[in-house]
């Protein structure tokens, strides 16, 4: 078995599947050249942010973890990937929206106290958090890179918000939404080559999609279908058309990090996974 290999998990809030497929040219360059796999993920419902952050990071469904709406502001009761990495002696870090801090480190969020959290005793050991939905994605990625360079995490979770923000502002059927997705792809094209050179595995996905009313929360493909791109030698590159349940992502991340999943996570069943 190989040793641990570091992982950067990029969660692009509100990025729907078809918009990613149509507009993210750099990521598809990596897919076309056999450097990445692309999957279609079906989100859990309700297709809302806070419940799906908990789904992605704990691999448990909302009825079980209790995070059933954006208005439930409390620490998670589940074992997250932050808990698991720490338990296994790996270092973690995140540059994320403040709700991630509320789920795993400290709730309610106090901007004057909680923006930067560097505490090895907490589930999130190294965190930089923002609370404005228009906090620029490029500033967020600079925050994340600061954590990467200075704290050398094995698991770095990056959570951007501008795609969701522009989806609410302009709807999914708009130049504003599509152009923001292209801007994120361009930003990734600037940053990812360095991270890939340093042999990080990369996971890119979204919590939920966006509909033509500028909202999400329903059950349509626009609400629920999100992309998943993975760059890792543990997977056969290519395009996989079958729908992956979102609850598979947390145990997949554990596999990529070479740590045991929590007891609450689903058994991993993932196309393209090498033996
Ligand atoms: Zn939203």
């Amino acid at each position: 078995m190989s040793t641990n290999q570091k992982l950067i998990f990029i969660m692009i809030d509100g990025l729907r599947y078809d918009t990613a497929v149509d507009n993210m040219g750099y990521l598809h360059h990596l897919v076309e050249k056999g450097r990445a796999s692309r999957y279609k993920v079906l989100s859990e419902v309700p297709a809302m942010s806070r419940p799906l952050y908990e789904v992605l990071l704990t691999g448990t469904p909302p009825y079980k973890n209790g995070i059933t709406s954006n208005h439930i502001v409390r620490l998670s009761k589940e074992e997250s990937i932050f808990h698991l990495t720490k338990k296994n002696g790996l270092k973690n870090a995140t540059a994320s929206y403040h709700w991630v801090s509320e789920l795993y480190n400290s709730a309610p969020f106090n901007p004057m106290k909680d923006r930067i959290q560097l505490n090895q005793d907490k589930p999130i050991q190294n965190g930089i958090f923002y609370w404005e939905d228009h906090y620029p994605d490029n500033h967020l990625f600079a925050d994340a890179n600061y954590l990467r360079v200075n704290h050398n995490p094995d698991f770095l979770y990056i959570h951007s918000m501008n795609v969701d923000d522009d989806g609410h502002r302009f709807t999914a059927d708009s130049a504003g939404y599509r152009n923001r997705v292209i801007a994120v792809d361009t930003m990734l094209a600037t940053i990812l080559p360095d991270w890939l050179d340093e042999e990080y595995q990369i996971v890119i996905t979204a919590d939920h999609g966006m509909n033509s009313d500028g909202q999400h929360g329903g059950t349509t493909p626009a609400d629920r279908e999100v992309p998943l791109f993975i760059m890792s030698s543990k997977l056969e590159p290519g395009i996989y058309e079958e729908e992956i349940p979102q609850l598979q992502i947390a145990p997949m991340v554990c596999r990529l990090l070479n740590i045991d999943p929590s007891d609450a996570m689903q058994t991993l069943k993932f196309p393209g996974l090498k033996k």
Side-chain angles (χ1 to χ4, degrees):
M1 202 62 204
S2 60
T3 52
N4 291 115
Q5 196 187 343
K6 293 178 194 179
L7 173 72
I8 297 176
F9 187 140
I10 300 168
M11 208 291 273
I12 302 169
D13 205 293
L15 174 63
R16 73 184 229 183
Y17 177 78
D18 55 354
T19 310
V21 168
D22 288 349
N23 292 282
M24 302 189 89
Y26 170 68
L27 292 182
H28 285 85
H29 169 62
L30 297 178
V31 172
E32 283 187 12
K33 299 306 174 199
R35 306 268 297 148
S37 337
R38 189 191 86 197
Y39 297 90
K40 182 194 283 185
V41 170
L42 185 68
S43 87
E44 288 293 300
V45 282
M48 285 292 182
S49 292
R50 196 188 302 252
L52 298 181
Y53 304 167
E54 175 82 338
V55 166
L56 287 168
L57 286 162
T58 70
T60 60
Y63 82 89
K64 187 169 170 297
N65 62 43
I67 306 296
T68 49
S69 97
N70 286 343
H71 306 297
I72 294 178
V73 181
R74 63 157 171 82
L75 287 174
S76 168
K77 296 172 181 168
E78 304 295 323
E79 207 171 16
S80 73
I81 297 170
F82 295 114
H83 294 86
L84 292 169
T85 46
K86 184 178 168 220
K87 187 168 97 178
N88 282 277
L90 304 184
K91 267 193 284 184
N92 68 51
T94 190
S96 283
Y97 195 56
H98 65 296
W99 291 1
V100 174
S101 171
E102 289 182 333
L103 281 167
Y104 308 110
N105 266 20
S106 178
F109 187 79
N110 178 340
M112 293 303 120
K113 180 166 78 63
D114 297 336
R115 172 157 167 74
I116 296 173
Q117 298 179 48
L118 306 172
N119 183 342
Q120 305 310 302
D121 296 331
K122 290 279 199 174
I124 297 171
Q125 296 166 308
N126 306 285
I128 300 179
F129 301 96
Y130 63 96
W131 56 92
E132 295 285 1
D133 292 15
H134 56 272
Y135 184 69
D137 285 349
N138 52 13
H139 291 48
L140 170 73
F141 274 75
D143 294 343
N145 199 55
Y146 173 85
L147 291 170
R148 187 186 70 82
V149 170
N150 289 282
H151 296 280
N152 194 25
D154 300 284
F155 173 64
L156 174 59
Y157 184 74
I158 306 172
H159 173 184
S160 73
M161 191 57 84
N162 292 170
V163 168
D164 185 74
D165 193 40
D166 281 349
H168 288 300
R169 207 178 300 241
F170 305 118
T171 84
D173 186 18
S174 68
Y177 181 72
R178 288 185 289 269
N179 288 343
R180 178 62 66 187
V181 174
I182 291 174
V184 170
D185 183 74
T186 301
M187 190 179 60
L188 293 173
T190 310
I191 297 166
L192 280 192
D194 285 346
W195 293 353
L196 290 167
D197 277 351
E198 301 210 23
E199 303 204 323
Y200 289 92
Q201 303 173 97
I202 308 285
V203 170
I204 301 170
T205 191
D207 45 355
H208 51 70
M210 184 64 60
N211 67 27
S212 54
D213 297 329
Q215 192 50 275
H216 49 83
T219 60
T220 71
D223 293 272
R224 295 188 73 178
E225 287 180 0
V226 295
L228 170 65
F229 298 90
I230 303 181
M231 291 132 237
S232 168
S233 61
K234 299 187 174 78
L235 289 167
E236 296 290 351
I239 292 177
Y240 298 86
E241 303 285 1
E242 66 184 279
E243 227 158 43
I244 308 286
Q246 198 168 33
L247 290 169
Q248 284 283 309
I249 293 183
M252 182 65 194
V253 167
C254 290
R255 171 67 67 88
L256 296 176
L257 285 166
N258 208 17
I259 61 175
D260 287 337
S262 78
D263 292 340
M265 290 179 189
Q266 288 186 343
T267 302
L268 190 63
K269 186 175 170 294
F270 220 92
L273 191 60
K274 292 181 188 170
K275 290 284 178 251

